[in-house]
Amino acid sequence: HKPGAPDRKQEAVGRAPPAMLPCLDRLRLGDATGVTLNLVERSGGTANDDVETGRKRRQLAPPGAPPPPPPKPNIEVTLEGLATISRELRRDGSATRTRWKAAVVETMERKVEKYEARAEEATAAVEEEHLKINEYIQAAYAKPDDPGVAPLADEDATDPWDVVKDVNDRWKTLVAERSVIRVVLAAAEARKDEFANAMGDDFDELCETLAKALDQLVNDYRTMGELLETVRQLFVAFLDDSASASQYRVNYILMGDPGTGKTRLARLIANVLGAMGIFVFSDIVEVYRSDFVADYEGQTAGKTRRLLEGNL
């Protein structure tokens, strides 16, 4: 879309190269991706848009010209960058240590504010459901001749507790949610205080924990430039702007045959992210298929949701 041009819908069509695209962090930082994008003007959202834009895309693609491969990270630059970070974390009084401490404290302050608001919302919802339960119970046990109360159940045919079951279940769900939020809130406050008050040997230990985690990841997987570069850029971005870096979706999918080290790599990544101070907790939770999949049809979604919420 050119400046000054009419505001029209456009579709960015990329020819996917056979190799892996660069990580999104590098795309955001403005490095060349090596992928050619053909912008095709859409005609306004008609049903034939996909067919028409597909035809135009095929016309724009040069025949027989393979797309250039995406640029790969310079592994030596990445390794040197991570080594520098480790050295600076171990050097007393370095700017890296000072900025990292401030970034973690700022991040935890934002999380405390966020979860305080969520706790207040959850408390209000719990109180509202509690009032509903009381009203339903009064109505469920009301007699036909009770003044001002319309009975909900026929005492000869309906159990009054069946009438309030749905409302009661909603209340229990909200109470559980509020409990989880309070746990996370308390942990965020504790971590904020841990970094804000860390001095001398205490802060040295925090820095050493992160430096060791970085060193271990580099030593064991120094040929995985793409992965190491995402870790390096995440830390650098965290120092520059903790507000935006703390919102990164640092999710990884590790694929490989049994015995190739996927679990070990996952643990090392978790150690680095936990020690970095982006998240409230630094614990590692390992789950297996049985933790997600239930015994009977229709129960897996609920089991998975409870697992994820419980590890918030």
Side-chain angles (χ1 to χ4, degrees):
H1 185 72
K2 297 180 180 179
D7 186 13
R8 296 171 178 158
K9 286 185 177 180
Q10 291 186 332
E11 181 181 7
V13 181
R15 298 182 60 208
M20 181 184 297
L21 284 171
C23 64
L24 291 180
D25 284 339
R26 295 219 309 283
L27 292 175
R28 184 176 50 77
L29 292 175
D31 290 349
T33 65
V35 178
T36 301
L37 295 180
N38 296 324
L39 300 181
V40 180
E41 182 177 333
R42 304 189 68 173
S43 55
T46 64
N48 292 327
D49 260 2
D50 289 339
V51 176
E52 180 64 17
T53 54
R55 183 183 63 79
K56 291 181 180 179
R57 182 169 64 248
R58 288 189 294 272
Q59 290 176 349
L60 289 171
K72 295 187 182 225
N74 187 323
I75 186 64
E76 296 303 326
V77 173
T78 297
L79 293 175
E80 178 56 33
L82 289 172
T84 300
I85 291 173
S86 294
R87 287 196 302 267
E88 291 298 300
L89 285 171
R90 291 185 170 102
R91 186 167 67 86
D92 188 26
S94 69
T96 297
R97 286 166 61 114
T98 303
R99 294 170 64 198
W100 177 53
K101 180 178 182 179
V104 175
V105 172
E106 290 171 0
T107 298
M108 293 304 127
E109 286 176 345
R110 283 190 295 271
K111 291 183 184 294
V112 167
E113 182 179 354
K114 169 186 174 180
Y115 285 109
E116 280 179 343
R118 288 189 59 179
E120 291 178 1
E121 294 173 358
T123 297
V126 167
E127 293 174 351
E128 180 181 354
E129 292 300 319
H130 197 139
L131 292 175
K132 290 180 180 179
I133 290 175
N134 289 337
E135 294 175 359
Y136 270 64
I137 289 176
Q138 292 177 9
Y141 282 98
K143 305 297 182 183
D145 54 352
D146 285 349
V149 180
L152 295 178
D154 182 348
E155 62 181 5
D156 295 329
T158 306
D159 185 346
W161 283 105
D162 289 340
V163 179
V164 300
K165 182 178 182 303
D166 290 340
V167 179
N168 191 47
D169 288 345
R170 168 67 175 161
W171 174 79
K172 289 190 294 185
T173 299
L174 289 171
V175 170
E177 179 183 342
R178 182 178 62 178
S179 299
V180 171
I181 293 172
R182 286 176 171 174
V183 169
V184 179
L185 173 59
E189 291 174 333
R191 191 148 211 202
K192 181 191 75 172
D193 294 339
E194 177 187 25
F195 272 81
N197 301 325
M199 304 289 291
D201 293 341
D202 291 338
F203 188 50
D204 289 342
E205 184 177 351
L206 292 172
C207 293
E208 182 65 21
T209 299
L210 176 56
K212 281 184 176 180
L214 289 170
D215 291 345
Q216 188 72 57
L217 183 63
V218 170
N219 291 337
D220 289 7
Y221 296 93
R222 62 187 304 110
T223 60
M224 298 186 66
E226 198 76 32
L227 169 65
L228 296 177
E229 180 64 12
T230 64
V231 173
R232 186 194 69 81
Q233 289 192 14
L234 177 60
F235 185 76
V236 171
F238 189 51
L239 297 187
D240 291 340
D241 186 358
S242 63
S244 61
S246 62
Q247 301 300 319
Y248 285 177
R249 297 296 184 263
V250 280
N251 300 314
Y252 299 88
I253 296 178
L254 309 179
M255 297 186 295
D257 294 331
T260 54
K262 297 186 300 297
T263 301
R264 175 175 173 75
L265 175 56
R267 290 170 180 165
L268 293 179
I269 294 173
N271 282 332
V272 171
L273 298 180
M276 200 176 290
I278 293 178
F279 304 119
V280 172
F281 295 98
S282 58
D283 308 67
I284 301 173
V285 180
E286 295 187 20
V287 294
Y288 303 89
R289 181 182 186 276
S290 59
D291 296 304
F292 292 94
V293 181
D295 294 332
Y296 300 99
E297 184 177 358
Q299 296 180 341
T300 294
K303 188 174 184 179
T304 299
R305 186 178 298 109
R306 289 189 296 272
L307 172 70
L308 297 178
E309 289 176 348
N311 288 287
L312 178 62

PDB file of all heavy atoms in Angstrom, residues 112-134:
ATOM      1  N   VAL A 112       1.860  -7.580  38.866  1.00  0.00           N
ATOM      2  CA  VAL A 112       1.135  -7.373  40.121  1.00  0.00           C
ATOM      3  C   VAL A 112      -0.108  -6.523  39.874  1.00  0.00           C
ATOM      4  O   VAL A 112      -1.205  -6.832  40.345  1.00  0.00           O
ATOM      5  CB  VAL A 112       2.050  -6.702  41.168  1.00  0.00           C
ATOM      6  CG1 VAL A 112       1.233  -6.196  42.351  1.00  0.00           C
ATOM      7  CG2 VAL A 112       3.111  -7.684  41.649  1.00  0.00           C
ATOM      8  N   GLU A 113       0.060  -5.441  39.128  1.00  0.00           N
ATOM      9  CA  GLU A 113      -1.080  -4.575  38.813  1.00  0.00           C
ATOM     10  C   GLU A 113      -2.151  -5.335  38.034  1.00  0.00           C
ATOM     11  O   GLU A 113      -3.354  -5.224  38.309  1.00  0.00           O
ATOM     12  CB  GLU A 113      -0.590  -3.371  38.015  1.00  0.00           C
ATOM     13  CG  GLU A 113      -1.693  -2.375  37.670  1.00  0.00           C
ATOM     14  CD  GLU A 113      -1.158  -1.186  36.899  1.00  0.00           C
ATOM     15  OE1 GLU A 113       0.076  -1.072  36.732  1.00  0.00           O
ATOM     16  OE2 GLU A 113      -1.981  -0.355  36.459  1.00  0.00           O
ATOM     17  N   LYS A 114      -1.708  -6.138  37.084  1.00  0.00           N
ATOM     18  CA  LYS A 114      -2.641  -6.906  36.254  1.00  0.00           C
ATOM     19  C   LYS A 114      -3.429  -7.901  37.089  1.00  0.00           C
ATOM     20  O   LYS A 114      -4.664  -7.988  36.996  1.00  0.00           O
ATOM     21  CB  LYS A 114      -1.859  -7.629  35.160  1.00  0.00           C
ATOM     22  CG  LYS A 114      -2.658  -8.675  34.397  1.00  0.00           C
ATOM     23  CD  LYS A 114      -1.768  -9.440  33.440  1.00  0.00           C
ATOM     24  CE  LYS A 114      -2.499 -10.585  32.767  1.00  0.00           C
ATOM     25  NZ  LYS A 114      -1.633 -11.345  31.836  1.00  0.00           N
ATOM     26  N   TYR A 115      -2.732  -8.659  37.939  1.00  0.00           N
ATOM     27  CA  TYR A 115      -3.415  -9.707  38.694  1.00  0.00           C
ATOM     28  C   TYR A 115      -4.199  -9.150  39.883  1.00  0.00           C
ATOM     29  O   TYR A 115      -5.144  -9.784  40.360  1.00  0.00           O
ATOM     30  CB  TYR A 115      -2.411 -10.770  39.129  1.00  0.00           C
ATOM     31  CG  TYR A 115      -2.005 -11.659  37.981  1.00  0.00           C
ATOM     32  CD1 TYR A 115      -0.734 -11.575  37.422  1.00  0.00           C
ATOM     33  CD2 TYR A 115      -2.902 -12.559  37.425  1.00  0.00           C
ATOM     34  CE1 TYR A 115      -0.371 -12.375  36.346  1.00  0.00           C
ATOM     35  CE2 TYR A 115      -2.550 -13.351  36.348  1.00  0.00           C
ATOM     36  CZ  TYR A 115      -1.285 -13.259  35.821  1.00  0.00           C
ATOM     37  OH  TYR A 115      -0.930 -14.039  34.758  1.00  0.00           O
ATOM     38  N   GLU A 116      -3.827  -7.985  40.372  1.00  0.00           N
ATOM     39  CA  GLU A 116      -4.664  -7.327  41.383  1.00  0.00           C
ATOM     40  C   GLU A 116      -6.020  -6.976  40.778  1.00  0.00           C
ATOM     41  O   GLU A 116      -7.066  -7.181  41.417  1.00  0.00           O
ATOM     42  CB  GLU A 116      -3.966  -6.069  41.907  1.00  0.00           C
ATOM     43  CG  GLU A 116      -2.892  -6.342  42.941  1.00  0.00           C
ATOM     44  CD  GLU A 116      -2.213  -5.078  43.403  1.00  0.00           C
ATOM     45  OE1 GLU A 116      -2.340  -4.036  42.717  1.00  0.00           O
ATOM     46  OE2 GLU A 116      -1.538  -5.115  44.444  1.00  0.00           O
ATOM     47  N   ALA A 117      -6.009  -6.443  39.561  1.00  0.00           N
ATOM     48  CA  ALA A 117      -7.271  -6.119  38.892  1.00  0.00           C
ATOM     49  C   ALA A 117      -8.087  -7.374  38.624  1.00  0.00           C
ATOM     50  O   ALA A 117      -9.310  -7.397  38.822  1.00  0.00           O
ATOM     51  CB  ALA A 117      -6.990  -5.375  37.586  1.00  0.00           C
ATOM     52  N   ARG A 118      -7.420  -8.441  38.189  1.00  0.00           N
ATOM     53  CA  ARG A 118      -8.135  -9.692  37.924  1.00  0.00           C
ATOM     54  C   ARG A 118      -8.696 -10.287  39.208  1.00  0.00           C
ATOM     55  O   ARG A 118      -9.782 -10.883  39.218  1.00  0.00           O
ATOM     56  CB  ARG A 118      -7.208 -10.686  37.229  1.00  0.00           C
ATOM     57  CG  ARG A 118      -6.912 -10.321  35.792  1.00  0.00           C
ATOM     58  CD  ARG A 118      -6.181 -11.439  35.072  1.00  0.00           C
ATOM     59  NE  ARG A 118      -6.941 -12.679  35.062  1.00  0.00           N
ATOM     60  CZ  ARG A 118      -6.522 -13.804  34.481  1.00  0.00           C
ATOM     61  NH1 ARG A 118      -5.348 -13.818  33.866  1.00  0.00           N
ATOM     62  NH2 ARG A 118      -7.254 -14.887  34.512  1.00  0.00           N
ATOM     63  N   ALA A 119      -7.964 -10.155  40.312  1.00  0.00           N
ATOM     64  CA  ALA A 119      -8.457 -10.676  41.589  1.00  0.00           C
ATOM     65  C   ALA A 119      -9.699  -9.922  42.044  1.00  0.00           C
ATOM     66  O   ALA A 119     -10.653 -10.523  42.569  1.00  0.00           O
ATOM     67  CB  ALA A 119      -7.353 -10.586  42.650  1.00  0.00           C
ATOM     68  N   GLU A 120      -9.699  -8.607  41.837  1.00  0.00           N
ATOM     69  CA  GLU A 120     -10.882  -7.819  42.193  1.00  0.00           C
ATOM     70  C   GLU A 120     -12.081  -8.224  41.340  1.00  0.00           C
ATOM     71  O   GLU A 120     -13.205  -8.342  41.847  1.00  0.00           O
ATOM     72  CB  GLU A 120     -10.580  -6.326  42.018  1.00  0.00           C
ATOM     73  CG  GLU A 120      -9.581  -5.776  43.020  1.00  0.00           C
ATOM     74  CD  GLU A 120      -9.283  -4.319  42.781  1.00  0.00           C
ATOM     75  OE1 GLU A 120      -9.885  -3.735  41.839  1.00  0.00           O
ATOM     76  OE2 GLU A 120      -8.463  -3.742  43.516  1.00  0.00           O
ATOM     77  N   GLU A 121     -11.848  -8.421  40.052  1.00  0.00           N
ATOM     78  CA  GLU A 121     -12.941  -8.855  39.171  1.00  0.00           C
ATOM     79  C   GLU A 121     -13.470 -10.225  39.585  1.00  0.00           C
ATOM     80  O   GLU A 121     -14.684 -10.458  39.598  1.00  0.00           O
ATOM     81  CB  GLU A 121     -12.450  -8.899  37.727  1.00  0.00           C
ATOM     82  CG  GLU A 121     -12.098  -7.538  37.148  1.00  0.00           C
ATOM     83  CD  GLU A 121     -11.458  -7.650  35.774  1.00  0.00           C
ATOM     84  OE1 GLU A 121     -11.259  -8.807  35.312  1.00  0.00           O
ATOM     85  OE2 GLU A 121     -11.150  -6.615  35.176  1.00  0.00           O
ATOM     86  N   ALA A 122     -12.561 -11.127  39.923  1.00  0.00           N
ATOM     87  CA  ALA A 122     -12.983 -12.466  40.334  1.00  0.00           C
ATOM     88  C   ALA A 122     -13.763 -12.423  41.639  1.00  0.00           C
ATOM     89  O   ALA A 122     -14.758 -13.138  41.805  1.00  0.00           O
ATOM     90  CB  ALA A 122     -11.760 -13.367  40.479  1.00  0.00           C
ATOM     91  N   THR A 123     -13.333 -11.585  42.577  1.00  0.00           N
ATOM     92  CA  THR A 123     -14.048 -11.464  43.853  1.00  0.00           C
ATOM     93  C   THR A 123     -15.460 -10.925  43.641  1.00  0.00           C
ATOM     94  O   THR A 123     -16.422 -11.430  44.230  1.00  0.00           O
ATOM     95  CB  THR A 123     -13.270 -10.536  44.804  1.00  0.00           C
ATOM     96  OG1 THR A 123     -12.001 -11.116  45.091  1.00  0.00           O
ATOM     97  CG2 THR A 123     -14.037 -10.331  46.102  1.00  0.00           C
ATOM     98  N   ALA A 124     -15.582  -9.931  42.783  1.00  0.00           N
ATOM     99  CA  ALA A 124     -16.913  -9.388  42.487  1.00  0.00           C
ATOM    100  C   ALA A 124     -17.799 -10.451  41.849  1.00  0.00           C
ATOM    101  O   ALA A 124     -18.987 -10.564  42.175  1.00  0.00           O
ATOM    102  CB  ALA A 124     -16.786  -8.172  41.568  1.00  0.00           C
ATOM    103  N   ALA A 125     -17.236 -11.253  40.957  1.00  0.00           N
ATOM    104  CA  ALA A 125     -18.016 -12.311  40.310  1.00  0.00           C
ATOM    105  C   ALA A 125     -18.429 -13.382  41.308  1.00  0.00           C
ATOM    106  O   ALA A 125     -19.559 -13.896  41.267  1.00  0.00           O
ATOM    107  CB  ALA A 125     -17.204 -12.932  39.176  1.00  0.00           C
ATOM    108  N   VAL A 126     -17.543 -13.731  42.233  1.00  0.00           N
ATOM    109  CA  VAL A 126     -17.865 -14.726  43.258  1.00  0.00           C
ATOM    110  C   VAL A 126     -19.002 -14.233  44.139  1.00  0.00           C
ATOM    111  O   VAL A 126     -19.948 -14.978  44.451  1.00  0.00           O
ATOM    112  CB  VAL A 126     -16.612 -15.038  44.106  1.00  0.00           C
ATOM    113  CG1 VAL A 126     -16.996 -15.816  45.370  1.00  0.00           C
ATOM    114  CG2 VAL A 126     -15.603 -15.833  43.298  1.00  0.00           C
ATOM    115  N   GLU A 127     -18.920 -12.966  44.556  1.00  0.00           N
ATOM    116  CA  GLU A 127     -19.971 -12.408  45.419  1.00  0.00           C
ATOM    117  C   GLU A 127     -21.317 -12.359  44.682  1.00  0.00           C
ATOM    118  O   GLU A 127     -22.368 -12.622  45.274  1.00  0.00           O
ATOM    119  CB  GLU A 127     -19.564 -11.012  45.885  1.00  0.00           C
ATOM    120  CG  GLU A 127     -18.358 -11.036  46.828  1.00  0.00           C
ATOM    121  CD  GLU A 127     -17.871  -9.640  47.164  1.00  0.00           C
ATOM    122  OE1 GLU A 127     -18.366  -8.663  46.531  1.00  0.00           O
ATOM    123  OE2 GLU A 127     -16.997  -9.513  48.038  1.00  0.00           O
ATOM    124  N   GLU A 128     -21.273 -12.039  43.397  1.00  0.00           N
ATOM    125  CA  GLU A 128     -22.509 -11.997  42.618  1.00  0.00           C
ATOM    126  C   GLU A 128     -23.142 -13.384  42.512  1.00  0.00           C
ATOM    127  O   GLU A 128     -24.358 -13.538  42.696  1.00  0.00           O
ATOM    128  CB  GLU A 128     -22.213 -11.450  41.222  1.00  0.00           C
ATOM    129  CG  GLU A 128     -23.440 -11.352  40.327  1.00  0.00           C
ATOM    130  CD  GLU A 128     -23.106 -10.839  38.950  1.00  0.00           C
ATOM    131  OE1 GLU A 128     -21.952 -10.450  38.716  1.00  0.00           O
ATOM    132  OE2 GLU A 128     -24.014 -10.835  38.086  1.00  0.00           O
ATOM    133  N   GLU A 129     -22.321 -14.394  42.255  1.00  0.00           N
ATOM    134  CA  GLU A 129     -22.849 -15.751  42.169  1.00  0.00           C
ATOM    135  C   GLU A 129     -23.339 -16.246  43.519  1.00  0.00           C
ATOM    136  O   GLU A 129     -24.309 -16.999  43.590  1.00  0.00           O
ATOM    137  CB  GLU A 129     -21.769 -16.692  41.624  1.00  0.00           C
ATOM    138  CG  GLU A 129     -21.405 -16.450  40.176  1.00  0.00           C
ATOM    139  CD  GLU A 129     -22.598 -16.618  39.244  1.00  0.00           C
ATOM    140  OE1 GLU A 129     -23.387 -17.554  39.455  1.00  0.00           O
ATOM    141  OE2 GLU A 129     -22.744 -15.807  38.313  1.00  0.00           O
ATOM    142  N   HIS A 130     -22.682 -15.796  44.587  1.00  0.00           N
ATOM    143  CA  HIS A 130     -23.127 -16.198  45.932  1.00  0.00           C
ATOM    144  C   HIS A 130     -24.531 -15.668  46.212  1.00  0.00           C
ATOM    145  O   HIS A 130     -25.383 -16.379  46.766  1.00  0.00           O
ATOM    146  CB  HIS A 130     -22.139 -15.673  46.971  1.00  0.00           C
ATOM    147  CG  HIS A 130     -22.266 -16.337  48.300  1.00  0.00           C
ATOM    148  ND1 HIS A 130     -21.198 -16.712  49.068  1.00  0.00           N
ATOM    149  CD2 HIS A 130     -23.352 -16.717  49.011  1.00  0.00           C
ATOM    150  CE1 HIS A 130     -21.608 -17.287  50.175  1.00  0.00           C
ATOM    151  NE2 HIS A 130     -22.910 -17.292  50.175  1.00  0.00           N
ATOM    152  N   LEU A 131     -24.770 -14.433  45.842  1.00  0.00           N
ATOM    153  CA  LEU A 131     -26.118 -13.869  46.023  1.00  0.00           C
ATOM    154  C   LEU A 131     -27.144 -14.652  45.218  1.00  0.00           C
ATOM    155  O   LEU A 131     -28.261 -14.914  45.693  1.00  0.00           O
ATOM    156  CB  LEU A 131     -26.121 -12.396  45.609  1.00  0.00           C
ATOM    157  CG  LEU A 131     -25.321 -11.437  46.494  1.00  0.00           C
ATOM    158  CD1 LEU A 131     -25.324 -10.036  45.898  1.00  0.00           C
ATOM    159  CD2 LEU A 131     -25.907 -11.414  47.915  1.00  0.00           C
ATOM    160  N   LYS A 132     -26.770 -15.042  43.994  1.00  0.00           N
ATOM    161  CA  LYS A 132     -27.690 -15.820  43.168  1.00  0.00           C
ATOM    162  C   LYS A 132     -28.016 -17.158  43.824  1.00  0.00           C
ATOM    163  O   LYS A 132     -29.167 -17.625  43.811  1.00  0.00           O
ATOM    164  CB  LYS A 132     -27.097 -16.054  41.787  1.00  0.00           C
ATOM    165  CG  LYS A 132     -27.020 -14.810  40.911  1.00  0.00           C
ATOM    166  CD  LYS A 132     -26.420 -15.159  39.557  1.00  0.00           C
ATOM    167  CE  LYS A 132     -26.315 -13.943  38.653  1.00  0.00           C
ATOM    168  NZ  LYS A 132     -25.713 -14.288  37.340  1.00  0.00           N
ATOM    169  N   ILE A 133     -26.978 -17.788  44.388  1.00  0.00           N
ATOM    170  CA  ILE A 133     -27.197 -19.078  45.040  1.00  0.00           C
ATOM    171  C   ILE A 133     -28.183 -18.930  46.195  1.00  0.00           C
ATOM    172  O   ILE A 133     -29.108 -19.744  46.363  1.00  0.00           O
ATOM    173  CB  ILE A 133     -25.857 -19.657  45.540  1.00  0.00           C
ATOM    174  CG1 ILE A 133     -24.994 -20.083  44.355  1.00  0.00           C
ATOM    175  CG2 ILE A 133     -26.078 -20.838  46.477  1.00  0.00           C
ATOM    176  CD1 ILE A 133     -23.614 -20.540  44.746  1.00  0.00           C
ATOM    177  N   ASN A 134     -27.989 -17.892  47.004  1.00  0.00           N
ATOM    178  CA  ASN A 134     -28.902 -17.684  48.134  1.00  0.00           C
ATOM    179  C   ASN A 134     -30.333 -17.476  47.657  1.00  0.00           C
ATOM    180  O   ASN A 134     -31.291 -18.012  48.246  1.00  0.00           O
ATOM    181  CB  ASN A 134     -28.443 -16.482  48.956  1.00  0.00           C
ATOM    182  CG  ASN A 134     -27.167 -16.759  49.733  1.00  0.00           C
ATOM    183  OD1 ASN A 134     -26.853 -17.922  50.014  1.00  0.00           O
ATOM    184  ND2 ASN A 134     -26.421 -15.721  50.064  1.00  0.00           N
TER     185      ASN A 134
END
